[in-house]
Amino acid sequence: MKTIIEPFRIKVVEPIRMTTPEQRETALREAGLNVFNLRAEDIIVDLLTDSGTGAMSSEQWAGVMRGDESYAGARSFYRFLDRVQEITGFEHVLPTHQGRASERILFEVVGGPGKVVPNNNHFDTTRANVEHSGAKAVDLVVDVGKDPRSLDPFKGNLDVAKLESCFKEVGAENIPLVMVTVTNNSGGGQPVSLQNIRELRKVCDRYKTPLFLDACRFAENAYFIKQRELGQGERSVAEIVREMFDLADGATISAKKDGLVNIGGLLLLRDSELTTQARNLLILTEGFPTYGGLAGRDLEAIAQGLEEVLHEDYLTYRIRSTEYLGEKLREVGVQIVEPPGGHAIYVDAKAFCPHIPPAEFPGQAVVCAMYRRGGIRACEIGSVMFGADEPPSMELVRLAIPRRTYTQSHIDYVIEVLAGVHAERESLSGLRIVEEPPALRHFTARFEEIRGGN
Ligand SMILES: *Cc1c(COP(=O)(O)O)cnc(C)c1O
């Protein structure tokens, strides 16, 4: 079969307000040509992020009604605990309000000045929390992971030789843990192989250093392993997931991704001493250990989401539909980061607008044109986001796909709009910043076009 149908029926709908080009022009001008400043109501298809933007299932909503809101020892916590232990094998499970809260607690305990934390690519909140503790975050992704044209199946891998050199250079006593992000979000949503995690385990054993997963997209990563890795095709995704977690000493997770919920996080640990320290911080800043930063109903929804995300029909649809978007864009001549990742397609904006230099934000020009033409919101990942200090190596536009939210016809619409923008790309103008805050400027900066509108 060529058509991958959505493996769900729609039971509740949320209307999308259609807008005219004139309305969008006004909204975009008022937003200072920055789509972060738009009201969500003015957007037709919102691909800003896949974090917390997915739809919950009927069973998850049923769990919301069953939520036990007792302060301590709630039934919902034990259901959540059983499910997480069954899937991951971790003894100690701390609920948090979202992924970055788990990171903050972890690095407050193990980080600090003089420490170095290696990762394939730190996600931005992970890096920020490592650095907030006073430690240094280093990215050691394999070289092929930095080549947008390479079709290597595991471009998210952490380079084992670079990790060895890092241990030799800074000394194991200064490396509190090694982290590997599955899938590698900042590296284009590319997967990490099981072989790579096994090798990292061996290096960590040799240096007696814990190995942690940033496991936000653990199920998508495991599905890629099943599809692409030699000898893994016959195993269930659940088995592969379990082996990934078995190889690690701990994990931080944002449940807003593969937890299939709108809010929530987890911190998973094996070491009892570390757990005691983390739990004390949890109580101080998140909440009592049987609810963390969440309500009982949230724990129910996560417990159910973690089960549903392992359904292979769901994962086939999820990965295939992202790939479909990538294939169709390629067919209309749009250069993307290859191969398509799990949760997003990244458009190469330098190739899209060769006439706009990085200093004039080609990615932002494409983002504005997509909104103007079709009310689509995407996210610039290039000189606007990272270029305040030095220009990044790539100018990208990320189209992140919310889980179970849009149908294939929404995606076909996105393809049509982007193909139209691409056909008229020579008319796009570069931008200049007219107002920017001192840090994280992409969220609030305001822009103007360098030559007229389009
Ligand atoms: C989203 C994300 C986080 C942070 O999680 P939040 O729930 O947004 O705080 C950390 N790491 C990765 C890889 C992520 O994608």
Side-chain angles (χ1 to χ4, degrees):
M1 295 296 166
K2 273 181 71 186
T3 305
I4 303 292
I5 66 164
E6 289 81 12
F8 47 81
R9 297 190 291 183
I10 294 166
K11 185 171 229 162
V12 175
V13 297
E14 182 179 10
I16 293 173
R17 193 172 68 87
M18 294 300 163
T19 49
T20 63
E22 294 71 33
Q23 287 169 332
R24 294 196 289 271
E25 188 60 40
T26 306
L28 191 62
R29 294 263 158 228
E30 281 171 7
L33 306 184
N34 184 346
V35 294
F36 277 101
N37 294 333
L38 290 169
R39 286 174 182 248
E41 278 191 324
D42 293 331
I43 289 153
I44 295 177
V45 178
D46 200 347
L47 306 182
L48 189 68
T49 173
D50 68 318
S51 180
T53 52
M56 293 212 295
S57 68
S58 48
E59 278 306 309
Q60 286 179 293
W61 283 109
V64 167
M65 289 307 297
R66 275 195 299 269
D68 174 357
E69 305 302 342
S70 305
Y71 189 91
R75 184 180 64 240
S76 299
F77 172 73
Y78 288 102
R79 174 152 185 255
F80 164 85
L81 179 66
D82 287 349
R83 183 60 46 79
V84 176
Q85 287 180 333
E86 183 189 313
I87 292 169
T88 68
F90 278 97
E91 184 184 350
H92 305 296
V93 178
L94 307 186
T96 60
H97 82 277
Q98 63 184 86
R100 68 196 70 182
S102 306
E103 295 165 354
R104 202 257 309 144
I105 291 170
L106 177 65
F107 292 111
E108 194 166 328
V109 177
V110 306
K115 300 277 167 60
V116 172
V117 178
N119 203 325
N120 42 356
N121 282 116
H122 285 85
F123 180 66
D124 50 16
T125 63
T126 322
R127 170 175 292 277
N129 276 294
V130 168
E131 290 172 352
H132 183 70
S133 81
K136 190 173 164 213
V138 296
D139 291 345
L140 304 177
V141 72
V142 288
D143 287 339
V144 78
K146 297 178 200 163
D147 173 5
R149 308 286 184 271
S150 161
L151 289 169
D152 189 276
F154 291 106
K155 290 168 77 173
N157 283 354
L158 195 158
D159 193 310
V160 178
K162 288 183 198 165
L163 182 63
E164 279 281 0
S165 312
C166 180
F167 269 108
K168 292 201 177 105
E169 212 173 290
V170 300
E173 67 283 6
N174 295 318
I175 300 183
L177 55 83
V178 172
M179 202 163 209
V180 59
T181 307
V182 296
T183 57
N184 188 15
N185 186 359
S186 305
Q190 300 293 328
V192 176
S193 71
L194 202 49
Q195 183 59 33
N196 187 239
I197 305 175
R198 288 175 183 154
E199 286 169 17
L200 298 173
R201 175 76 263 169
K202 283 197 197 128
V203 176
C204 286
D205 281 344
R206 209 146 18 81
Y207 289 101
K208 299 194 167 48
T209 300
L211 176 65
F212 272 61
L213 300 180
D214 176 340
C216 293
R217 297 177 183 78
F218 68 94
E220 292 173 7
N221 197 83
Y223 186 81
F224 279 122
I225 288 174
K226 181 181 165 92
Q227 272 193 319
R228 297 180 180 177
E229 193 162 344
L230 206 64
Q232 299 299 324
E234 299 304 311
R235 299 176 78 189
S236 70
V237 170
E239 264 179 282
I240 297 169
V241 162
R242 184 55 192 266
E243 183 176 345
M244 285 164 49
F245 282 113
D246 282 347
L247 287 163
D249 300 291
T252 55
I253 302 182
S254 166
K256 302 172 72 167
K257 286 67 175 250
D258 277 352
L260 300 181
V261 294
N262 305 114
I263 195 74
L266 300 95
L267 176 56
L268 309 180
L269 299 165
R270 289 193 208 286
D271 184 81
S272 309
E273 177 54 31
L274 185 56
T275 303
T276 305
Q277 290 175 277
R279 193 179 282 133
N280 289 337
L281 283 175
L282 184 81
I283 297 172
L284 191 66
T285 56
E286 288 283 295
F288 190 74
T290 62
Y291 70 84
L294 298 168
R297 61 181 79 103
D298 297 323
L299 297 171
E300 290 277 348
I302 296 171
Q304 181 63 27
L306 290 173
E307 183 187 310
E308 291 176 9
V309 80
L310 296 176
H311 292 181
E312 301 198 10
D313 287 347
Y314 161 76
L315 284 166
T316 303
Y317 141 79
R318 169 76 179 156
I319 301 301
R320 177 65 195 123
S321 53
T322 305
E323 186 183 50
Y324 171 84
L325 172 58
E327 277 172 15
K328 296 287 171 184
L329 290 180
R330 204 186 286 143
E331 278 171 27
V332 299
V334 174
Q335 177 68 52
I336 61 166
V337 175
E338 298 282 3
H343 68 290
I345 294 296
Y346 295 71
V347 172
D348 182 340
K350 261 188 206 168
F352 201 108
C353 299
H355 63 290
I356 303 180
E360 295 176 12
F361 313 122
Q364 192 67 14
V366 175
V367 166
C368 288
M370 287 178 71
Y371 179 71
R372 280 198 172 103
R373 191 175 184 95
I376 296 163
R377 178 157 67 172
C379 185
E380 192 266 7
I381 301 192
S383 285
V384 177
M385 193 179 272
F386 298 121
D389 307 318
E390 50 183 296
S393 60
M394 292 194 268
E395 299 291 332
L396 302 176
V397 173
R398 185 182 70 183
L399 313 177
I401 319 292
R403 291 171 182 76
R404 307 189 292 201
T405 303
Y406 293 116
T407 64
Q408 185 171 335
S409 54
H410 289 110
I411 297 300
D412 284 335
Y413 172 78
V414 171
I415 294 158
E416 230 174 85
V417 170
L418 203 50
V421 173
H422 189 253
E424 294 172 8
R425 62 191 183 281
E426 278 158 25
S427 70
L428 299 188
S429 165
L431 304 167
R432 73 169 75 88
I433 292 181
V434 290
E435 209 182 296
E436 72 179 297
L440 294 172
R441 66 179 181 179
H442 56 287
F443 289 125
T444 55
R446 298 179 74 84
F447 301 84
E448 68 183 19
E449 262 139 3
I450 289 171
R451 61 167 167 83
N454 48 44

